[in-house]
Amino acid sequence: MQATLTQTISFDGVGLHSGAPVRMDVHPAEPGFGVWFKRTDVTDADNMVRAIYSAVGAKPLCSELTNDAGVGVSTVEHIMAALAGCGIHNALVELDGPEVPIMDGCSADFVRAIVETGARKQAARLYAIEVLSPVIVEENGAMAMLTPAGGLEIDFHIEFPDAAIGRQHMALDMRNGTFVRELSDSRTFCRKADIDMMHDNGLALGGTYNNAVVVDGDDVLSPGGLRHADEAVRHKMLDAVGDLALAGAPILGRYTGVKAGHAMTNKLLRKLFANPSCYRMVPCSPEQAARLPGVGVRKADLALVA
């Protein structure tokens, strides 16, 4: 069955790229609502923005949604990952600014609030997107692919010149609370050499050493170091969960990413939905539902989240 929150949860923070303070309230929503963002600071235009792949624009380094009136919400991937990873299908996300708060650079704060608040099952059947045949996009040595699988699986490879990251690979089946335990506390990261470039392009203005992992060659510059030795690839997997949640329904399939990012995952979803022979919508059987992210999440899992 579909699920929503038992009550509203709230967050205060700043936008990673804008640097602007923002308040975010995540409300329960009725069955079939899906996930929508509402810009409460916008009063002279349509301020409702649907969390759907077709609304994603070309902003670099994050996923930004824009409606037909040009009203946008950026850096949605971490809250989308938290909702999907905790099995929340219907929610209204209200913000008083243009960007989701970055918190400490991952989904941990969102996940903790969702799990502690709890999910409420709803009297509506849950449908999932079953991948029927492989779909692949490739670009400049990077690749993203969806292939058939019984549940959501994520397989990711990254490679960076800084030895603090280097080559990393991880593959996970996302059932039974895996997202909460294994991915939710892995923070966004960047190379120190890229910070000036991002600032010159109006990005990462709210970034600090406390809400991102900054690496320089062999060194991790952020206080406390890494939460996981392979935190970088775990964060890329977190992002993929959030970007795939913009499909509009849970995915039954295996996502493989090689040096992939937000834009490539979005292109992959667009290619999937452009070919109806590659997927079908299916009502989830109890067996299928048991293989989705969010099923099996327990409050005890929060002890493993930084």
Side-chain angles (χ1 to χ4, degrees):
M1 308 304 289
Q2 296 178 30
T4 190
L5 296 165
T6 58
Q7 62 185 29
T8 297
I9 53 178
S10 301
F11 307 91
D12 291 288
V14 300
L16 173 63
H17 294 297
S18 67
V22 59
R23 165 85 172 195
M24 184 172 78
D25 300 311
V26 187
H27 303 283
E30 64 269 19
F33 183 82
V35 179
W36 286 74
F37 291 85
K38 181 178 181 180
R39 287 278 303 277
T40 60
D41 58 316
V42 175
T43 58
D44 58 350
D46 179 10
N47 63 0
M48 293 288 290
V49 184
R50 187 183 176 193
I52 193 71
Y53 72 95
S54 55
V56 173
K59 191 168 185 176
L61 303 181
C62 70
S63 289
E64 180 178 38
L65 303 166
T66 306
N67 66 16
D68 290 340
V71 175
V73 178
S74 64
T75 322
V76 302
E77 56 271 16
H78 298 172
I79 183 62
M80 291 301 300
L83 292 169
C86 293
I88 301 297
H89 311 110
N90 302 304
L92 173 63
V93 185
E94 289 189 338
L95 304 107
D96 63 0
E99 189 175 11
V100 171
I102 189 60
M103 310 309 287
D104 72 343
C106 61
S107 293
D109 289 328
F110 304 143
V111 161
R112 188 172 290 107
I114 293 169
V115 174
E116 289 177 347
T117 298
R120 173 168 55 86
K121 295 294 183 182
Q122 298 176 290
R125 192 71 175 269
L126 178 64
Y127 283 76
I129 300 158
E130 182 182 12
V131 178
L132 300 177
S133 57
V135 179
I136 185 170
V137 293
E138 297 178 279
E139 205 171 83
N140 301 323
M143 182 273 290
M145 178 171 62
L146 279 168
T147 51
L152 179 63
E153 302 172 8
I154 307 287
D155 185 331
F156 220 107
H157 303 250
I158 63 172
E159 182 176 356
F160 286 83
D162 297 77
I165 300 176
R167 291 184 179 179
Q168 297 182 16
H169 168 244
M170 176 175 270
L172 291 172
D173 186 320
M174 301 309 298
R175 75 179 80 184
N176 292 330
T178 294
F179 175 82
V180 172
R181 295 189 305 271
E182 302 292 342
L183 303 182
S184 67
D185 64 351
S186 293
R187 297 160 293 174
T188 191
F189 63 95
C190 69
R191 304 172 61 221
K192 187 175 184 297
D194 295 333
I195 292 177
D196 289 341
M197 177 275 294
M198 288 190 288
H199 287 173
D200 289 343
N201 287 277
L203 298 170
L205 301 180
T208 71
Y209 286 102
N210 293 313
N211 62 23
V213 176
V214 181
V215 301
D216 186 18
D218 294 344
D219 301 321
V220 177
L221 305 183
S222 298
L226 297 172
R227 292 175 177 173
H228 308 276
D230 54 358
E231 186 170 0
V233 74
R234 289 173 187 252
H235 183 79
K236 296 290 282 187
M237 296 170 78
L238 182 159
D239 280 346
V241 172
D243 291 334
L244 291 172
L246 295 173
I251 289 177
L252 300 172
R254 182 179 183 87
Y255 172 93
T256 301
V258 178
K259 304 179 184 179
H262 302 295
M264 182 160 281
T265 302
N266 184 254
K267 289 178 181 178
L268 181 66
L269 288 180
R270 290 176 185 265
K271 187 171 183 178
L272 172 71
F273 291 117
N275 191 342
S277 67
C278 291
Y279 74 97
R280 65 182 174 186
M281 298 296 298
V282 295
C284 281
S285 67
E287 294 76 20
Q288 287 171 319
R291 294 194 289 267
L292 294 175
V295 176
V297 172
R298 306 168 302 152
K299 286 189 178 180
D301 291 334
L302 295 178
L304 303 175
V305 178

